[in-house]
Amino acid sequence: SQTIHQWPATLVQPVGSPLSLECTVEGTSNPNLYWYRQAAGRGLQLLFYSVGIGQISSEVPQNLSASRPQDRQFILSSKKLLLSDSGFYLCAWRTGGSYEQYFGPGTRLTVT
Amino acid sequence: AQSVTQLGSHVSVSEGALVLLRCNYSSSVPPYLFWYVQYPNQGLQLLLKYTSAATLVKGINGFEAEFKKSETSFHLTKPSAHMSDAAEYFCAVSNTGGFKTIFGAGTRLFVKA
């Protein structure tokens, strides 16, 4: 069966510090991968998605970036965090032949 | 362009009462529709999905949803609410050939004892 992992589970970082969040999927090949953010009390905002290694589509032109160095690994990064980057970050995957997405447990990021 | 509207950001029901969470969608092509549930500090979990087969879809935890094309609706129901149903629920839409899923703003369900 398929499993999706995210780490860390929680993170507190000062403004201006770098960020690296990692997501890995097990039990499937060539998944579509997604990064979402939930700000407090708000819905899901799609940040990036990837349909293959090295292929990244950006939905928001902020100070975040994403990379997919391996088939089942998706990384969200920032060089300098802003207060507004605080939120709950969710990674998700789906197969190319279906449309439902499956979510990881999330990372709670607090920028202080 | 696709969109999803969830009517009511908060819904409160008594334990044992009917749960009805409303979702309307907009799509220029036949949609795929989903309901997800999110418990505090957790990821989203797929409750059920509509993929152009039966219009009445049954999901986990006793939930079901009915696709009504004429009303562009996909409302989520459960005959009898349980305290453990208290969570946030998201309706979502995707379409053939698309990579993205559009999520509604969410409805928080409160269940009173």
Side-chain angles (χ1 to χ4, degrees):
Chain A
S1 64
Q2 301 87 3
T3 312
I4 180 169
H5 302 280
Q6 283 188 247
W7 64 89
T10 60
L11 192 59
V12 180
Q13 293 283 95
V15 168
S17 64
L19 174 72
S20 181
L21 303 181
E22 189 164 343
C23 170
T24 60
V25 181
E26 296 176 355
T28 187
S29 297
N30 196 30
N32 293 343
L33 296 171
Y34 303 82
W35 278 113
Y36 292 89
R37 177 170 62 200
Q38 271 185 306
R42 303 185 67 177
L44 280 79
Q45 179 187 25
L46 178 62
L47 301 175
F48 302 93
Y49 67 93
S50 171
V51 300
I53 296 174
Q55 300 179 62
I56 308 295
S57 296
S58 174
E59 294 292 302
V60 286
Q62 297 178 351
N63 65 318
L64 298 172
S65 62
S67 61
R68 185 170 176 174
Q70 300 180 45
D71 182 43
R72 289 166 293 194
Q73 184 185 29
F74 204 23
I75 297 172
L76 182 70
S77 304
S78 174
K79 292 182 179 179
K80 288 186 178 182
L81 284 168
L82 306 173
L83 285 174
S84 58
D85 291 324
S86 293
F88 193 49
Y89 287 80
L90 290 161
C91 181
W93 71 273
R94 68 167 233 206
T95 65
S98 65
Y99 294 89
E100 64 269 25
Q101 293 183 14
Y102 297 93
F103 286 79
T107 295
R108 174 76 57 192
L109 172 65
T110 303
V111 183
T112 60
Chain B
Q2 295 175 301
S3 66
V4 175
T5 302
Q6 291 185 239
L7 301 176
S9 58
H10 296 83
V11 170
S12 182
V13 300
S14 297
E15 192 173 21
L18 171 72
V19 175
L20 171 60
L21 304 183
R22 299 177 187 273
C23 172
N24 289 90
Y25 70 92
S26 173
S27 178
S28 58
V29 296
Y32 296 104
L33 294 160
F34 312 93
W35 276 99
Y36 289 85
V37 60
Q38 185 180 31
Y39 298 99
N41 294 311
Q42 295 185 24
L44 278 69
Q45 179 183 5
L46 181 67
L47 268 180
L48 49 80
K49 61 181 179 181
Y50 166 76
T51 56
S52 75
T55 56
L56 182 62
V57 181
K58 294 187 183 299
I60 62 172
N61 301 339
F63 284 94
E64 63 181 35
E66 186 171 9
F67 172 68
K68 292 187 176 180
K69 183 178 179 180
S70 61
E71 299 177 8
T72 61
S73 69
F74 190 57
H75 302 331
L76 182 70
T77 60
K78 181 175 180 178
S80 177
H82 192 273
M83 296 297 288
S84 61
D85 295 326
E88 185 139 26
Y89 292 80
F90 293 92
C91 182
V93 62
S94 187
N95 67 292
T96 305
F99 295 112
K100 295 187 285 188
T101 298
I102 307 301
F103 288 84
T107 297
R108 182 162 296 278
L109 176 66
F110 297 91
V111 181
K112 300 174 291 186

